[in-house]
Amino acid sequence: MKSCYLYLSYLPQLKIKRKIEIAVISDVHLGTYGCHAKHLLTYLNSIEPKKLILNGDIIDIWQFSKRYFPKSHLKVIKKIMDMASDGVDIIYITGNHDEMLRKFSGTTIGKISIVDKLVLKLDGKKAWFFHGDVFDVSIQNAKWLAKLGGYGYDFLTLLNRAVNWYLEKRGKERYSLSKKVKNGVKGAIKYINDYEKVISDLAIENGYDYVVCGHIHQPKMEYIENKHGKTMYLNSGDWVENFTALEYQFKRWKIYNYNKDKLAPFIVDEDFEDMDISNLIAAITIVEQSEKKKKKEKN
């Protein structure tokens, strides 16, 4: 009977994963202090996509250090590999922080593909996927400066973690220093607006109904129109400060937000994953029989 209660203790954790056609994540920056790998792992455990598109900067090769690559970051990689083993199409689109992978563009290993860009037909509409760094003048013209800025951003997010730890201890809301800096600088706002406009104009020119990118860490879903037509601009955000992803299901896109979408994410207990399902069914059967026996005795 003890084994029965042991198995039953796992039952409240049994949750059905959300089935979606496509999930898009970008700018995870595994290997940096700013990466919230545990949040991402929780999200990946909550979904069952047909395709998982990794839209650049998943592993931060620019700032990679042998001294810092914690288990939670390794678990994200293992989770993605496990999803591929389970039949999920994994499409890795290269970004600037993982640009070393561009030499392997066009390579396919099992269910994992490495590409620089991707075009998909989604319910009769064309979707164009790419990371977005090719439209970033600062990277193309002064890569060393962009890398230097990357180290500064990494320091800022590390400092932000300490600030948020203190705020959470005090029961106060989390705060984003990098968002404050971006929103307070007119040049940064103009850069983002220009980035979105250039990408959307090009998508309209080429007849794409959706254009899906990352890179600027600004999640967004918006129709952008010019005199030649319109397109839906989609940005998957990041897992450094926004904790967002894009999801496509039932002919619609949505932005998933880890901080706001409280019902969707859950952590699959590792012990429960290893548990034999036949034992679980047996445990449920024992309880049902026990309940029936009690009812008969009362009658």
Side-chain angles (χ1 to χ4, degrees):
M1 204 61 187
K2 283 183 179 179
S3 61
C4 168
Y5 289 114
L6 176 64
Y7 292 132
L8 285 173
S9 66
Y10 289 103
L11 288 177
Q13 300 178 40
L14 182 59
K15 297 187 181 181
I16 299 171
K17 295 185 178 186
R18 291 185 300 111
K19 291 187 178 183
I20 53 179
E21 286 188 50
I22 299 172
V24 184
I25 60 172
S26 69
D27 301 276
V28 178
H29 294 276
L30 291 170
T32 67
Y33 292 104
C35 171
H36 286 72
K38 289 180 181 178
H39 289 7
L40 176 57
L41 194 61
T42 299
Y43 170 65
L44 292 176
N45 279 328
S46 76
I47 60 171
E48 194 175 304
K50 290 179 181 177
K51 287 187 194 309
L52 174 63
I53 298 175
L54 309 173
N55 203 356
D57 290 0
I58 305 303
I59 301 172
D60 199 319
I61 298 173
W62 273 13
Q63 299 170 72
F64 181 79
S65 171
K66 291 180 181 178
R67 291 172 295 178
Y68 186 79
F69 208 90
K71 285 184 178 179
S72 60
H73 294 214
L74 289 170
K75 283 181 179 179
V76 169
I77 295 173
K78 183 181 182 299
K79 176 63 183 176
I80 291 169
M81 299 295 285
D82 288 345
M83 291 172 82
S85 298
D86 291 337
V88 179
D89 287 322
I90 308 292
I91 303 167
Y92 196 125
I93 300 174
T94 57
N96 52 300
H97 283 257
D98 46 22
E99 64 183 350
M100 285 177 66
L101 295 176
R102 284 179 177 160
K103 64 178 73 173
F104 302 107
S105 183
T107 302
T108 299
I109 304 172
K111 301 291 284 185
I112 302 174
S113 303
I114 300 174
V115 297
D116 294 332
K117 58 186 176 181
L118 176 71
V119 175
L120 291 178
K121 272 283 188 74
L122 302 176
D123 298 300
K125 294 185 176 182
K126 284 202 301 181
W128 184 27
F129 299 81
F130 55 87
H131 181 63
D133 58 294
V134 292
F135 296 96
D136 191 334
V137 177
S138 68
I139 287 176
Q140 297 305 314
N141 294 342
K143 189 172 286 187
W144 67 271
L145 188 61
K147 287 185 179 183
L148 185 62
Y151 285 109
Y153 183 79
D154 198 36
F155 172 75
L156 189 63
T157 52
L158 182 59
L159 178 62
N160 207 162
R161 276 199 163 188
V163 170
N164 283 329
W165 176 84
Y166 175 75
L167 289 174
E168 286 175 353
K169 288 287 184 183
R170 298 288 300 273
K172 295 184 178 181
E173 193 175 343
R174 294 171 62 89
Y175 186 80
S176 176
L177 291 172
S178 56
K179 272 189 182 180
K180 186 70 176 175
V181 171
K182 286 178 186 175
N183 294 336
V185 179
K186 288 183 180 179
I189 296 170
K190 185 180 183 301
Y191 161 74
I192 290 167
N193 290 338
D194 289 348
Y195 175 88
E196 293 170 353
K197 186 179 184 304
V198 168
I199 285 173
S200 299
D201 285 348
L202 197 57
I204 292 168
E205 185 182 324
N206 287 278
Y208 294 112
D209 301 286
Y210 308 120
V211 57
V212 188
C213 57
H215 183 57
I216 58 173
H217 295 209
Q218 293 288 312
K220 193 170 185 178
M221 183 173 69
E222 181 184 7
Y223 275 109
I224 295 179
E225 193 170 355
N226 63 24
K227 63 182 180 180
H228 301 293
K230 69 175 181 178
T231 190
M232 180 181 278
Y233 169 86
L234 295 141
N235 195 301
S236 47
D238 66 283
W239 289 87
V240 175
E241 54 187 316
N242 291 296
F243 320 138
T244 52
L246 291 169
E247 297 179 351
Y248 182 79
Q249 179 74 332
F250 304 124
K251 301 182 181 181
R252 293 182 179 180
W253 284 99
K254 67 165 278 189
I255 294 176
Y256 169 88
N257 190 311
Y258 180 89
N259 290 325
K260 294 177 182 177
D261 201 343
K262 298 295 183 184
L263 295 177
F266 66 96
I267 299 173
V268 177
D269 189 273
E270 288 181 3
D271 293 329
F272 182 77
E273 282 184 323
D274 294 334
M275 181 180 169
D276 185 12
I277 193 68
S278 61
N279 291 332
L280 176 60
I281 294 168
I284 295 170
T285 305
I286 291 169
V287 173
E288 285 179 347
Q289 290 174 349
S290 179
E291 289 298 319
K292 285 178 181 178
K293 188 176 179 181
K294 284 180 182 178
K295 285 180 181 179
K296 282 182 179 180
E297 288 175 353
K298 282 184 180 180
N299 294 334

